[in-house]
Amino acid sequence: MMPRELPLRAVAARVILAVEQGESLNQCLPVEAHTLEPDLRPQLQALCYGTCRWFHRLDDELTSRLRKPLRKQDRIVHHLMLVALFQLRFSENPSYAVLNETVEACKALGKTPLAGLVNGLLRAAEREGAPAPTSDEARYSHPGWMIEKLRHNWPEHWQGILGANNAQAPMTLRINRMHGSRDEYLDRLREAGIPGRATEFADLGIQLDRPVPVDLLPGFAHGHVSVQDEAAQLCTQWLKPGPEQRILDACAAPGGKTCAILEAIDNQGEVLAIDESADRLPRIQENLERLQLSARLIEADAADVDQWWDGQPFDAILLDVPCSATGVIRRHPDIKLLRRETDITPLATIQIGLLSALWQTLRPGGRLVYATCSVFPQENSRIIRRFLGQQTDARLLDEPVAWGMDTGHGRQLLPNPESHDGFFYACLKKGGPEERQ
Ligand SMILES: C[S@@+](CC[C@H](N)C(=O)[O-])C[C@H]1O[C@@H](n2cnc3c(N)ncnc32)[C@H](O)[C@@H]1O
């Protein structure tokens, strides 16, 4: 029988095991964190994110140190040692504490017979230091298929992308222009002792020098500011939402972009936000309420237009499709463990399906912004190219913007360790009768 309260490292090992079995950190971390005292929860988060970020490198070292793999039923001890190696290699924790507490955690997990092995292995790891990586997987700490795909897709940028994915992402804010200007909010931050600077490309963005809990942000509870990466904030630049428009946000949860759109039009337009996930839809409502914004929410498969559309065309559509999320790995390092190469083609099928289905709901002359947080052309420029090949009334707009690279079929932002996430945007305009002549 397992004791009821496990120590920090044992809980971290359970989280990594759950991720290996297919759960995301967003799903399993809050559940496991609840078993710990509140003051230990930030440490749990740091351990789990760090271990996922460096999983492939740590696993390479651990595997080479183990004479043979542990039995399947002892897999949790493998993960416990990964957590300890993460601390030895990437944290300031004194190694004696890491060793002692990991051995205690091993016993608390009911694996006392393996405590000697854990102790010996970690002692050797401490004494000998980090070994040279034996593979690209270990060197770049990414799954091999992802490294190969990036190398193939981005021959000049793949190492930069891998490096950016392993860096800690900055905390970036979007100020709510309905409550004052960015300069005014920068002043409020300064007064609160929270240093930050205006983002380069997003008009309303502020990148903080260091992350802070949101409760410390001036006016957060009253909707004066939101947390949103700079690249995600760019969605309004091409959508150009207007206060008189009927706007659709087709894959909306948790609503970051829905709220950015509503703020841009002073909460005046008619915005419909759809998401197929019943679990995620309430997150949109929470965000709307905090920001005092309003939109109509529908739980539906956006591609199943007959199910939700009243036949009134939209002036503007944001289609932020489900994707591999390979542009936001630095924020979600569990993607390295969760994503499979075989996921990409089915995702591309869903993406083009959503785009084709929603196109009929756009009025002639209206614009649709297609967005992903992926860095794979298969989900980005190739979707747009395919779509333009089959849809004669669709035209690609490439209005001048200072950000991203022109792919010929939309603009790609690669993750930048100094600033924004990886993202892709393409803006499509529907030809009106005058444009078809
Ligand atoms: C990239 S996330 C959207 C992020 C959101 N736009 C934001 O900025 O906060 C993609 C969303 O699409 C939803 N989704 C996936 N397939 C869908 C479909 N067929 N119809 C509607 N929503 C879908 C997922 O539940 C997920 O919430």
Side-chain angles (χ1 to χ4, degrees):
M1 262 258 300
M2 201 161 283
R4 263 163 52 83
E5 273 185 28
L6 288 172
L8 172 66
R9 286 169 185 74
V11 178
R14 282 171 58 90
V15 171
I16 305 300
L17 183 64
V19 172
E20 191 182 58
Q21 290 169 349
E23 280 187 58
S24 71
L25 283 173
N26 278 345
Q27 288 168 325
C28 60
L29 194 55
V31 179
E32 292 288 347
H34 244 82
T35 67
L36 291 172
E37 294 298 325
D39 60 330
L40 288 176
R41 293 175 194 168
Q43 286 181 62
L44 177 71
Q45 173 156 337
L47 283 181
C48 295
Y49 273 72
T51 305
C52 284
R53 180 166 289 127
W54 296 107
F55 183 91
H56 295 83
R57 182 174 303 174
L58 300 169
D59 199 49
D60 181 67
E61 174 175 353
L62 180 55
T63 308
S64 70
R65 290 189 180 282
L66 282 168
R67 260 183 290 131
K68 57 181 173 50
L70 298 180
R71 295 175 309 168
K72 200 164 168 233
Q73 61 267 40
D74 295 328
R75 185 77 183 154
I76 187 94
V77 178
H78 184 94
H79 293 305
L80 180 66
M81 288 191 280
L82 289 180
V83 172
L85 282 178
F86 164 68
Q87 288 200 292
L88 288 182
R89 301 291 175 239
F90 295 100
S91 83
E92 304 284 305
N93 289 49
S95 45
Y96 66 86
V98 175
L99 260 67
N100 289 344
E101 287 163 29
T102 304
V103 169
E104 288 314 307
C106 180
K107 293 176 185 164
L109 283 164
K111 301 289 180 187
T112 305
L114 292 173
L117 168 86
V118 168
N119 188 36
L121 187 142
L122 293 179
R123 268 185 204 293
E126 184 208 357
R127 203 173 48 241
E128 294 161 13
T134 63
S135 64
D136 274 359
E137 286 210 6
R139 185 168 302 111
Y140 298 110
S141 202
H142 275 69
W145 71 267
M146 221 182 253
I147 299 171
E148 281 318 305
K149 203 170 174 72
L150 288 172
R151 200 196 311 251
H152 177 73
N153 288 157
W154 298 103
E156 287 166 24
H157 300 286
W158 63 279
Q159 283 165 309
I161 298 171
L162 295 169
N165 290 350
N166 288 338
Q168 206 97 34
M171 181 169 181
T172 305
L173 311 178
R174 182 191 75 240
I175 66 117
N176 182 348
R177 55 186 281 285
M178 296 162 72
H179 291 278
S181 71
R182 171 162 70 177
D183 282 345
E184 283 163 357
Y185 198 78
L186 275 165
D187 286 341
R188 292 172 72 185
L189 283 175
R190 212 168 293 123
E191 279 160 25
I194 303 173
R197 59 173 171 83
T199 50
E200 187 179 356
F201 304 124
D203 305 337
L204 301 173
I206 294 177
Q207 186 173 313
L208 301 184
D209 290 1
R210 280 179 299 284
V212 297
V214 287
D215 314 332
L216 298 184
L217 296 171
F220 180 81
H222 299 107
H224 297 186
V225 71
S226 300
V227 177
Q228 188 177 43
D229 181 74
E230 182 180 9
Q233 294 185 37
L234 300 173
C235 66
T236 49
Q237 287 194 10
W238 269 350
L239 193 66
K240 297 193 193 308
E244 307 303 326
Q245 291 183 348
R246 220 174 116 76
I247 301 167
L248 171 66
D249 186 354
C251 294
K257 298 188 189 70
T258 317
C259 295
I261 291 168
L262 281 160
E263 287 170 7
I265 54 174
D266 293 332
N267 199 28
Q268 295 295 311
E270 190 190 333
V271 175
L272 173 63
I274 298 182
D275 204 280
E276 70 168 7
S277 161
D279 290 344
R280 287 166 63 89
L281 209 63
R283 299 275 311 284
I284 310 181
Q285 190 57 39
E286 284 164 26
N287 281 319
L288 289 170
E289 281 172 18
R290 184 180 60 81
L291 294 159
Q292 295 154 44
L293 301 168
S294 43
R296 199 152 69 85
L297 307 188
I298 296 184
E299 180 193 326
D301 172 0
D304 189 357
V305 167
D306 294 342
Q307 191 198 337
W308 58 267
W309 190 40
D310 61 6
Q312 295 291 313
F314 294 97
D315 301 297
I317 299 177
L318 174 64
L319 179 53
D320 188 15
V321 287
C323 70
S324 63
T326 39
V328 293
I329 287 179
R330 59 189 192 156
R331 295 190 193 277
H332 303 283
D334 47 340
I335 290 169
K336 292 178 182 181
L337 283 81
L338 296 171
R339 200 63 69 229
R340 301 275 173 267
E341 188 172 13
T342 49
D343 293 342
I344 309 303
T345 300
L347 276 169
T349 305
I350 291 171
Q351 290 155 353
I352 190 115
L354 278 161
L355 181 52
S356 306
L358 289 167
W359 190 250
Q360 59 185 299
T361 72
L362 185 67
R363 77 161 166 78
R367 51 176 70 205
L368 181 150
V369 170
Y370 175 91
T372 77
C373 55
S374 164
V375 292
F376 292 146
Q378 210 180 333
E379 302 176 86
N380 297 340
S381 51
R382 281 189 226 151
I383 296 286
I384 301 302
R385 195 178 61 198
R386 251 170 82 190
F387 181 69
L388 289 171
Q390 69 194 39
Q391 197 70 46
T392 52
D393 61 353
R395 185 159 65 84
L396 183 72
L397 290 184
D398 193 17
E399 292 164 0
V401 283
W403 40 264
M405 286 185 275
D406 183 9
T407 65
H409 294 93
R411 291 189 89 81
Q412 180 75 57
L413 294 120
L414 297 177
N416 182 332
E418 305 301 322
S419 55
H420 56 73
D421 288 342
F423 238 85
F424 175 84
Y425 287 109
C427 185
L428 300 166
K429 185 157 182 183
K430 195 168 192 170
E434 72 284 6
E435 284 171 306
R436 289 217 196 91
Q437 296 164 14

